[in-house]
Amino acid sequence: MSTSTRCTPQALYRIEECPDLMVDGHVGDERGNLVFLSLWGRDTAIQSFLARLTLGRDEQGLDHFHLILEHDSRVSVFVPNTDHLEKRTTRAYRQTLFGTLVHVWLFDTRCLTPDRTNGAALTLLPRGFPNSDPRLWHGVRETCALPLLDHWRDTVLTLLWDLDMLGRLPMTLGPLEGVRLTLDLPRLTDLLGERIRAGALTASPQPGKARAA
């Protein structure tokens, strides 16, 4: 499957190993690892699936599973370490034709708490977000050890995209996309220093060039 897969946001996808569960959103990284998963199903089916993830390959456990897409194609989703996943139960529907349905999000902990030591983070944003999205800028400032001024946003984000320190994750099903931030702090420090000395980055917004918040 192409790593640039984009599918219909409203579609539902079945998990081959757990046919009682449906997925309406998934984001995966370059290695096929799970970054975000939106699950629907009965509580017992969801709890059984989550338990199998913790068992790995032993005792009918799962260290990966498959989503069934259109035309019976499949995409593999790998779960190398459940300790790096967060779970949120978002809502329950109690009066449906299928009984009580529970909605659960699974996502990489770096979507919630950046790794400031290594300058790494993951961000989930709506499909089609602009490269200068303010929420992305907030994530960069939270992760970067350098003091970044808010009016530097457009310049710094453009630099990060150009240097591939920011990159869109390749696998997207549903309404969300993922972005990986991987900072090369020494290189970024040098490049920001060059722009400060050249006057492209200033201590305060320049008259007539201030960016609207």
Side-chain angles (χ1 to χ4, degrees):
M1 171 171 289
S2 169
T3 57
S4 61
T5 299
R6 295 291 187 270
C7 296
T8 305
Q10 292 78 20
L12 291 173
Y13 310 97
R14 193 176 300 278
I15 296 178
E16 185 172 27
E17 292 80 0
C18 302
D20 291 336
L21 298 179
M22 301 298 292
V23 170
D24 64 355
H26 166 59
V27 175
D29 69 11
E30 300 81 0
R31 298 182 179 180
N33 293 328
L34 187 155
V35 173
F36 171 80
L37 191 73
S38 176
L39 281 170
W40 291 88
R42 294 184 180 182
D43 185 60
T44 52
I46 286 180
Q47 295 305 323
S48 175
F49 173 71
L50 296 178
R52 291 180 68 186
L53 292 181
T54 65
L55 296 175
R57 294 184 179 181
D58 299 330
E59 301 177 13
Q60 297 185 335
L62 295 172
D63 61 359
H64 73 283
F65 55 91
H66 301 86
L67 299 180
I68 303 176
L69 310 183
E70 293 91 343
H71 310 298
D72 208 32
S73 62
R74 287 163 172 75
V75 60
S76 297
V77 181
F78 295 91
V79 187
N81 191 342
T82 55
D83 291 338
H84 294 165
L85 293 181
E86 290 278 346
K87 180 187 75 172
R88 296 289 186 273
T89 301
T90 62
R91 66 185 70 180
Y93 293 93
R94 302 187 181 281
Q95 296 180 349
T96 76
L97 293 174
F98 308 101
T100 299
L101 292 181
V102 178
H103 186 196
V104 172
W105 289 347
L106 286 177
F107 54 91
D108 191 298
T109 56
R110 288 171 294 176
C111 296
L112 193 64
T113 305
D115 180 355
R116 289 179 58 88
T117 301
N118 295 305
L122 296 167
T123 302
L124 298 171
L125 292 170
R127 180 191 292 270
F129 67 91
N131 282 356
S132 59
D133 192 291
R135 291 163 293 189
L136 187 58
W137 175 240
H138 174 77
V140 170
R141 294 189 67 183
E142 285 291 306
T143 307
C144 186
L146 300 175
L148 302 177
L149 301 181
D150 194 49
H151 60 280
W152 294 0
R153 186 183 82 185
D154 292 346
T155 299
V156 174
L157 287 181
T158 298
L159 181 63
L160 294 177
W161 285 110
D162 290 345
L163 294 172
D164 292 327
M165 294 187 196
L166 278 172
R168 296 181 187 238
L169 296 181
M171 184 62 203
T172 295
L173 300 173
L176 297 181
E177 290 188 68
V179 178
R180 180 188 299 282
L181 173 66
T182 309
L183 295 174
D184 181 340
L185 200 57
R187 187 179 184 193
L188 182 60
T189 300
D190 290 343
L191 292 173
L192 292 181
E194 291 176 2
R195 284 156 177 77
I196 291 171
R197 290 189 293 273
L201 296 176
T202 58
S204 58
Q206 297 179 4
K209 296 185 179 181
R211 177 182 49 79

